[in-house]
Amino acid sequence: HELGNGEWDVPELRERLPQVFSTARPLERLELERDFVSLGRRTMLLNARRLDGTDMILIGIEDITERRHWEERQKLLVAELGHRMKNLLATVQSIASQTMRNTGSLSAFNEAFGGRLQALGRAHDLLTGDNWAGADLREVVSEALQAYGMAGERTHAEGEDFDLAPRAALVLSMTMYELATNAAKHGALSSASGQVEVGWELVRAELGPALRLTWHEFGGPPATQPTRAGFGTSLIEHSLAYELEGEARLEFLETGLCCEMLIPY
């Protein structure tokens, strides 16, 4: 009990160590969390047994602080993984339901659903590469354009470096994919002369500090407003509002589709 600066002078040890003498029963795996002058807060594992034929006790002390930290970290990771899997499955279910509702044939469903799952997978790849700390906005835009082989002379992306939070990265990845899909099938990139410009900047809006992201098509066919909102339009307008508390505005112009998004940060 006098070792060090009295860190081992605790009631539990004062009670149990004498029992090792009186009963010859070992003390096994006793954990003590103590403050040590030279070490700080540590978790120690004690084992003690009486040496046969003597009045001495052999005590083994193991510092298991890092092991306990690692175990706690593992518990958090498992819980986080479970949470993300539930969110991912809910997202996939929503994509499947909305895609089925807005496609008229099995082949159209397979094409649309498969493309959206791939976009979701690419977004997860970006996040996994950075340990889910977030994703670079430029990479998110580039991935969406490259999905259709669009990154090149007919597309232009410009803006300052900006790191997206994981949730924002997922939503914007899906949004960019839907815009790119529409541009390839019906918009500017469905014609040989069409082009797309994507730009972003940090602004102060009514909702506070925000990222303003614009998607502007030109040189292709005029943009016509659909008679009913499809999955892409709903995702763009509603996901930004519900998932990120942001805003999205779509304009169907003679020059091409224009989409402006505001996302708080």
Side-chain angles (χ1 to χ4, degrees):
H1 306 304
E2 296 176 1
L3 286 175
N5 292 280
E7 294 97 343
W8 303 103
D9 189 6
V10 293
E12 191 165 11
L13 274 181
R14 282 188 172 274
E15 176 186 352
R16 298 187 64 178
L17 282 179
Q19 293 175 359
V20 177
F21 275 120
S22 60
T23 66
R25 182 180 300 166
L27 172 63
E28 296 182 332
R29 305 190 63 79
L30 173 64
E31 283 192 30
L32 294 176
E33 190 171 346
R34 309 295 294 162
D35 289 313
F36 294 86
V37 174
S38 59
L39 299 175
R41 191 75 171 175
R42 311 299 291 180
T43 301
M44 299 296 191
L45 181 68
L46 277 71
N47 290 278
R49 68 178 58 246
R50 182 176 179 177
L51 294 177
D52 291 342
T54 74
D55 58 356
M56 300 178 67
I57 293 178
L58 177 65
I59 302 178
I61 303 173
E62 181 184 359
D63 186 343
I64 61 169
T65 308
E66 299 307 320
R67 184 198 306 174
R68 286 291 175 261
H69 286 172
W70 181 84
E71 290 172 351
E72 288 300 318
R73 176 66 177 162
Q74 288 298 105
K75 289 179 183 178
L76 288 174
L77 287 174
V78 170
E80 178 66 15
L81 178 61
H83 176 68
R84 288 178 185 170
M85 285 300 298
K86 288 180 181 178
N87 285 342
L88 177 60
L89 290 174
T91 300
V92 171
Q93 184 180 30
S94 175
I95 291 174
S97 175
Q98 292 290 336
T99 303
M100 186 177 296
R101 192 176 303 153
N102 289 282
T103 50
S105 66
L106 182 59
S107 60
F109 170 82
N110 286 336
E111 180 184 357
F113 184 61
R116 284 161 181 158
L117 282 187
Q118 290 176 9
L120 185 62
R122 286 191 295 271
H124 275 260
D125 285 342
L126 284 176
L127 290 169
T128 303
D130 201 18
N131 293 319
W132 277 79
D136 179 65
L137 175 56
R138 195 179 305 277
E139 289 187 44
V140 169
V141 173
S142 176
E143 282 288 336
L145 295 175
Q146 288 177 358
Y148 282 96
M150 297 179 186
E153 296 181 357
R154 299 177 62 195
T155 63
H156 181 65
E158 185 174 355
E160 59 189 283
D161 292 341
F162 188 81
D163 290 326
L164 295 166
R167 190 63 192 165
L170 287 175
V171 172
L172 279 182
S173 290
M174 298 300 295
T175 299
M176 290 288 105
Y177 173 77
E178 293 300 328
L179 289 169
T181 300
N182 182 75
K185 291 184 176 180
H186 313 292
L189 296 178
S190 65
S191 67
S193 59
Q195 298 188 39
V196 172
E197 286 186 352
V198 184
W200 59 89
E201 61 180 339
L202 303 180
V203 298
R204 181 162 294 278
E206 290 185 8
L207 44 73
L211 170 71
R212 179 163 63 196
L213 178 65
T214 58
W215 172 285
H216 184 204
E217 301 178 24
F218 58 94
T224 56
Q225 187 163 359
T227 54
R228 65 185 182 89
F231 175 78
T233 303
S234 298
L235 184 142
I236 294 169
E237 293 180 336
H238 299 303
S239 289
L240 287 168
Y242 296 142
E243 301 286 350
L244 305 179
E245 298 183 350
E247 300 174 358
R249 181 168 56 91
L250 289 168
E251 291 187 278
F252 301 88
L253 308 174
E254 284 291 322
T255 54
L257 179 68
C258 182
C259 178
E260 181 178 292
M261 293 161 271
L262 285 173
I263 304 161
Y265 68 90

